[in-house]
Amino acid sequence: MAEERPATGTQFPASAESQKPRLKRAPEFPILEKKNWLIHLHYIRKDYEGCKAVIKEQLQETQGLCEYAIYVQALIFRLEGNIQESLELFQTCAVLSPQCADNLKQVARSLFLLGKHKAATEVYNEAAKLNQKDWEICHNLGVCYFYLKQFNKAQDQLHHALHLNRHDLTYIMLGKIHLLTGDLDKAIEIYKKAVEFSPENTELLTTLGLLYLQLGFYQKAFEHLGNALTYDPTNYKAILAAGSMMQTHGDFDVALTKYRVVACAVPESPPLWNNIGMCFFGKKKYVAAISCLKRANYLAPFDWKILYNLGLVHLTMQQYASAFYFLRAAINFQPKMGELYMLLAVALTNLEDTENAKRAYAEAVRLDKCNPLVNLNYAVLLYNQGEKRDSLAQYQEMEKKVSLLKDSSSLEFDSEMVEMAQKLGAALQVGEALVWTKPVKDPKSKHRTTTSKAASFQQPLGSNQALGQAMSSAATYRKIPSGPGSTEFQTR
């Protein structure tokens, strides 16, 4: 009998796959965060209604403890204009995560939008302690200090922001502060650095061009305005400024062509209609000039430059009562400008109110220490009233001003002003040549646009003439993008 052998089974090596440990299941997100991705998706798609529905569901499930859902809800409230509600929600986020600088930044931003600038600075300072290298905190702190009129602190914060990270907005705000403090040279330096950093920013190019235009550097102004129009041919601010430059140099037809383009973009711009009116004034179309200036005055009733121009045009048309009305209104808004009082005196002289004309001239002489035309007109009035001693005193004061202007700069004088000074000098027996040399332009002509004669001479020396120059509110408005520090500035 055969011996039975135990069956031996063949054993195979274990497969490599069975030796690998099984992968663990991915951990589930905590319940507080599981729908954050969906909230984010709806928000970036601007589906705010769907986003709010998911947020509501998430907050119900988490009993109001989901920080991200509250944060996005606050952002939506802010976009809808509910600033106070957004502030309360951001404060809730700050309570849930007190060490998060972003939450504090949003709280400060909401306070800023509510006009609570001092409270906003306190919150921004707390945020800065948590994150000292955030340029946005420094920038916004600078803007808050700007609105609190603490310009030194604002400059320090803005410079620190530029040290951390250079941005166009920071340069714009820093330049704005220098403009408000009257330091044009530093403002130009800041804008030059900004243009070097961002050479295609048309807003920076236009603003720098306007500053050069205001200082009378027409070549540099034209260069920067031309660059702005190269990058954006429809930039109405640069077009308006370029038209103003052409108007300043007497090229009224080309300037009007430029203004037609601007009128399509901003038909309700007061500076535009002011400049159009002064173009017609330069072309001696006085009725059209008054119509345009009246429209500008309707759009900006508190702009003294427009009132000045209306008074000047009415003087030219010998409508002295109307001229008095507009010049008096301009003085109410700009009481420190001597030339306004001089033109008012011219109107009063022609209205035969000599006593008030003398008072206006006296105030003009007190306020204006540079313009010899004020003293010349005053001397003519006094001479015509038989007060030769006082007339001589004003004439000699005029000579001093002319000598100072000739020594300090290469300014030239209007031919009719020179002629009248020579006639008055001869009448007062103080000579005819005096300090006069070349008859050309008025000392202030580089800041104005056209020349007008407000009245003709009827007496032996004539009634007082107004060689006031037409003022052009040349360029226009520059707005800082919405956000901290939205302001505007205007040059002429």
Side-chain angles (χ1 to χ4, degrees):
M1 184 174 178
E3 182 179 349
E4 292 185 5
R5 295 181 181 180
T8 57
T10 306
Q11 297 193 9
F12 298 96
S15 65
E17 292 183 1
S18 63
Q19 292 179 350
K20 289 184 178 179
R22 290 186 178 182
L23 296 176
K24 296 181 180 179
R25 291 182 61 185
E28 294 184 359
F29 288 107
I31 189 70
L32 297 180
E33 313 293 340
K34 70 176 183 179
K35 291 186 179 178
N36 284 2
W37 67 274
L38 187 57
I39 294 173
H40 178 72
L41 188 63
H42 282 294
Y43 181 77
I44 63 174
R45 290 179 175 178
K46 298 185 179 181
D47 180 12
Y48 299 132
E49 293 303 320
C51 188
K52 287 193 287 188
V54 178
I55 289 173
K56 183 178 179 180
E57 182 181 346
Q58 177 81 332
L59 291 176
Q60 287 176 348
E61 293 180 0
T62 61
Q63 299 179 353
L65 296 178
C66 180
E67 179 189 346
Y68 185 74
I70 298 172
Y71 187 91
V72 176
Q73 179 83 70
L75 292 176
I76 295 174
F77 277 157
R78 181 188 290 170
L79 290 172
E80 294 174 345
N82 302 318
I83 309 299
Q84 184 62 43
E85 290 83 349
S86 74
L87 172 61
E88 293 170 359
L89 291 177
F90 283 129
Q91 288 173 332
T92 303
C93 292
V95 170
L96 293 173
S97 296
Q99 298 302 314
C100 179
D102 288 335
N103 290 336
L104 292 178
K105 285 164 57 178
Q106 295 297 344
V107 171
R109 170 72 174 158
S110 294
L111 289 169
F112 174 85
L113 293 175
L114 290 171
K116 300 177 181 179
H117 302 121
K118 187 174 182 180
T121 58
E122 294 173 359
V123 179
Y124 274 128
N125 282 319
E126 291 297 322
K129 294 177 183 178
L130 300 175
N131 188 353
Q132 298 179 354
K133 295 185 177 181
D134 191 333
W135 78 272
E136 188 178 355
I137 295 176
C138 297
H139 172 87
N140 291 341
L141 260 176
V143 174
C144 290
Y145 283 129
F146 168 81
Y147 278 100
L148 292 171
K149 309 296 183 184
Q150 299 179 17
F151 296 129
N152 290 333
K153 290 185 178 180
Q155 289 184 46
D156 293 340
Q157 291 295 334
L158 292 171
H159 279 299
H160 187 46
L162 287 175
H163 178 71
L164 294 173
N165 205 344
R166 299 169 71 187
H167 281 267
D168 295 352
L169 264 180
T170 308
Y171 280 116
I172 290 172
M173 277 305 305
L174 196 54
K176 175 67 176 176
I177 291 173
H178 288 309
L179 287 174
L180 288 179
T181 54
D183 196 340
L184 291 180
D185 293 334
K186 285 188 178 180
I188 288 176
E189 287 300 318
I190 290 296
Y191 282 113
K192 285 170 66 176
K193 292 179 181 178
V195 169
E196 291 175 2
F197 169 69
S198 182
E200 296 184 8
N201 189 317
T202 56
E203 183 179 352
L204 292 171
L205 290 168
T206 302
T207 302
L208 187 56
L210 293 178
L211 290 175
Y212 281 130
L213 177 62
Q214 186 177 0
L215 294 175
F217 300 138
Y218 297 114
Q219 185 62 38
K220 292 182 178 180
F222 190 79
E223 177 184 347
H224 287 88
L225 293 172
N227 290 338
L229 290 172
T230 299
Y231 294 117
D232 183 9
T234 61
N235 187 330
Y236 71 88
K237 299 178 184 179
I239 296 173
L240 182 58
S244 174
M245 287 181 59
M246 297 168 186
Q247 181 178 349
T248 302
H249 291 86
D251 200 346
F252 302 116
D253 292 324
V254 178
L256 285 171
T257 302
K258 296 288 185 184
Y259 293 149
R260 287 191 187 97
V261 178
V262 180
C264 296
V266 281
E268 303 300 320
S269 169
L272 169 66
W273 289 106
N274 178 73
N275 285 8
I276 292 174
M278 298 321 292
C279 278
F280 284 125
F281 177 71
K283 292 166 67 69
K284 301 187 185 302
K285 296 181 178 180
Y286 301 128
V287 176
I290 289 177
S291 298
C292 294
L293 289 171
K294 286 286 184 69
R295 180 167 183 174
N297 180 241
Y298 172 78
L299 295 170
F302 302 127
D303 190 331
W304 69 271
K305 295 181 291 296
I306 298 172
L307 294 167
Y308 174 102
N309 288 339
L310 277 166
L312 188 64
V313 176
H314 282 296
L315 274 178
T316 306
M317 297 183 71
Q318 299 183 7
Q319 297 174 349
Y320 302 114
S322 297
F324 172 83
Y325 171 79
F326 288 112
L327 291 169
R328 188 70 187 86
I331 287 172
N332 288 334
F333 297 114
Q334 190 74 7
K336 301 298 183 182
M337 184 177 181
E339 191 170 344
L340 281 171
Y341 287 94
M342 181 191 73
L343 295 178
L344 184 68
V346 173
L348 289 168
T349 302
N350 286 279
L351 290 172
E352 300 181 359
D353 189 352
T354 307
E355 292 303 317
N356 284 323
K358 289 180 181 178
R359 293 191 185 97
Y361 273 127
E363 186 67 13
V365 169
R366 185 183 71 83
L367 293 173
D368 197 326
K369 304 298 183 183
C370 300
N371 189 356
L373 186 58
V374 175
N375 301 94
L376 175 60
N377 278 347
Y378 194 12
V380 171
L381 173 65
L382 292 171
Y383 178 84
N384 289 334
Q385 295 298 314
E387 302 176 22
K388 292 186 178 181
R389 184 186 299 271
D390 293 335
S391 176
L392 179 61
Q394 291 298 324
Y395 189 86
Q396 291 172 342
E397 185 66 25
M398 176 202 67
E399 285 187 290
K400 293 178 183 178
K401 291 182 179 180
V402 170
S403 298
L404 289 174
L405 288 172
K406 288 170 63 64
D407 293 339
S408 61
S409 63
S410 59
L411 293 173
E412 299 170 339
F413 303 98
D414 186 274
S415 58
E416 195 163 358
M417 179 180 174
V418 175
E419 182 183 353
M420 178 47 54
Q422 291 173 341
K423 287 182 180 180
L424 182 60
L428 294 172
Q429 299 180 353
V430 292
E432 295 185 3
L434 305 166
V435 296
W436 304 96
T437 52
K438 296 187 290 183
V440 244
K441 296 180 181 178
D442 178 84
K444 291 190 176 182
S445 61
K446 71 176 183 178
H447 293 299
R448 309 290 173 79
T449 54
T450 58
T451 305
S452 73
K453 292 175 284 183
S456 59
F457 292 87
Q458 298 173 352
Q459 301 176 16
L461 282 178
S463 60
N464 298 38
Q465 65 170 352
L467 289 176
Q469 311 296 338
M471 302 183 70
S472 169
S473 52
T476 175
Y477 297 93
R478 168 183 64 75
K479 284 199 175 183
I480 295 173
S482 59
S486 179
T487 47
E488 64 186 12
F489 106 101
Q490 185 176 13
T491 60
R492 60 177 175 81

